[in-house]
Amino acid sequence: MHDIRAIRENPEAFDAGLARRGLAAQSSDILKIDDARRAAIHAAETALAERNAASKQVGAAKAKGDEAEFERLRALVGAKKTEIAELEDQAKAETHRLNDVLMSLPNLPASDIPDGEDEDDNVEVRRIGSPRNFSFAPKEHYEVTAAAHGLDFETAAKLSGSRFVVLRGAMNRLHRALGQFMLNTHVDENGFTETWTPVLVRDEAMYGSGQLPKFAEDSYRTENGWWLIPTAEVTLVNSVAGEILDEGALPIRLTAHSQCFRSEAGSAGRDTAGMLRQHQFEKVEMVAITTPDQSAAELERMTKCAEGILDALKIPYRTVVLCTGDVGFGMRKTYDIEAWLPGQNSYREISSCSVADDFQARRMNTRYRPEGGKPEFVHTLNGSGLAVGRTLIAVIENNQQEDGSITIPEVLRPYMGGKSTVLPDGSLGD
RNA sequence: GGAGAGGUGCCAGAGUGGUCGAAUGGGGCGGUCUCGAAAACCGUUGAGCCUUCACGGGUUCCCAGGGUUCGAAUCCCUGUCUCUCCGCCA
């Protein structure tokens, strides 16, 4: 949701921002609607003011018991009725028209992100860790013998179809360990408050964080109208919807370990093997609510928090800043963190950390009160910290051994009964 | 699932269809008093939109959306949320 005032004050900058997204200029159309809207509001309010003034006199006449005067004014005020209704309808219609346009346009890209058309134009900002040298051909996660025992796609297909998985034994324990490790790290070391939220939400929440109205086909909806969240960003961000927060309460840092549901419409044929792209997966999500002056620094901080998980797991990764053509609808700037997958011989997205500035805050009407000042919109940020299933893949592929076993990263061993290996038969070993 | 009650300002809590953005109390902020503090007293204390260089003016908002009325926080309808009781249940 854009700020109409900002567009009024600097239409050129607005159009320039859209242009960087590859979109046509909109400001002149928008300002026309804005003018029409303001004229309509003005007309309606003038009529209302007249009515209210006369209406007060009606009350006074009634109180005095002046029946003739009362009847005269009564008729006068009554005559205004249809006129006011019409003018109000018009003002409302123009306001809706304006909001529809402002709601449907994507956020403007931050000034410091690269121009580009698609993911090929993203720019790597750092690369951490070196891919391990294998003395054998590394396999994809579902081919590693130890993992294959615990990744059951056949049963999942029987239950639910494609893009689902049943996890068994050591694989599920590893999956569980990862989620717990991530959540604990963000809570104990990174200052986030752990949160458990519903995964079924109403329309308003999906609008607030920007999934609706444009991306309805990406999410699932229940028959009675709830949406299954595609990410806990929806619930964490919307947890402050409609509020005026104390400046002292900021930044608010929340994290949640949740199920996520995505229809993956439009990705038919992509990543069909293994559990890289699923309709249902787990993610540990980070969200921060900050003042405008802190949000840029918070994005760097949040990205570090996500990277820290991979550092601890000793998984090589690279961090890229998304170009204007790839950054998401509601976001100003995004860092993707891509983990090295030796089985695929490539880096694959495992986290995405973004700052929305006040884009979501406007949709949700979330503000804070600066010291002694008027309420202002907060800035919101969100990031994966990390996608649990994809991290499991990265752990499997990077720690696979020639005999088909998997070495368990040290930081996870406390969660694995102290064991250090998943043996080729799928059991845990010292 | 059944039955009932209710949603008013930062909080508690009044509110007769008519000068109600809303009594009163508490809290917050400012001040008086005090060596300082407490107490007491005085004042102040919501948000959005339109308009204005500004001071200011106008308008909307008493859960949300409709409706009745010359006029709605107050009446009616729908939705929604909360609470109580019964039933069921992880």
Side-chain angles (χ1 to χ4, degrees), chain A residues 43-55 80 84:
Chain A
E45 291 191 350
T46 304
L48 274 169
E50 288 167 14
R51 186 205 67 187
N52 289 347
S55 185
K80 282 248 164 232
I84 287 171

Side-chain angles (χ1 to χ4, degrees), chain A residues 6 166 215 252 306 330 335 366 398 412:
Chain A
V166 167
F215 306 103
I252 294 170
Y335 288 115
T366 302
N398 282 282
L412 297 182

Side-chain angles (χ1 to χ4, degrees), chain A residues 151-181:
Chain A
L151 305 178
D152 184 350
F153 298 99
E154 289 72 23
T155 303
K158 181 167 67 183
L159 296 170
S160 308
S162 65
R163 293 201 193 284
F164 289 94
V165 67
V166 167
L167 297 175
R168 297 185 196 280
M171 277 308 104
N172 190 54
R173 180 140 188 191
L174 204 49
H175 188 246
R176 199 152 52 82
L178 281 166
Q180 290 298 301
F181 167 67

Side-chain angles (χ1 to χ4, degrees), chain A residues 2-10:
Chain A
H2 290 281
D3 181 4
I4 183 62
R5 286 210 188 101
I7 299 173
R8 247 183 247 154
E9 280 167 26
N10 198 342

Side-chain angles (χ1 to χ4, degrees), chain A residues 162-164 215-221 228-231 260-272 274-283 348-349 387 390:
Chain A
S162 65
R163 293 201 193 284
F164 289 94
F215 306 103
E217 67 283 358
D218 292 340
S219 294
Y220 294 109
R221 196 169 196 216
L228 282 116
I229 58 171
T231 160
C260 303
F261 303 89
R262 298 189 183 177
S263 71
E264 294 301 333
S267 37
R270 290 181 68 192
D271 305 314
T272 49
M275 62 179 289
L276 192 70
R277 190 179 299 275
Q278 304 277 285
H279 288 308
Q280 175 187 351
F281 62 95
E282 284 190 11
K283 186 158 56 66
R348 294 302 303 259
E349 178 184 339
R390 289 191 175 181

Side-chain angles (χ1 to χ4, degrees), chain A residues 173 408-409 412-422 428-430:
Chain A
R173 180 140 188 191
I408 298 170
L412 297 182
R413 291 179 193 172
Y415 300 87
M416 300 294 292
K419 306 291 189 186
S420 62
T421 312
V422 183
L428 289 170
D430 290 319

Side-chain angles (χ1 to χ4, degrees), chain A residues 94-107:
Chain A
E94 295 293 349
T95 299
H96 274 141
R97 208 146 78 90
L98 183 65
N99 280 343
D100 284 349
V101 176
L102 294 180
M103 269 276 195
S104 67
L105 292 171
N107 206 344

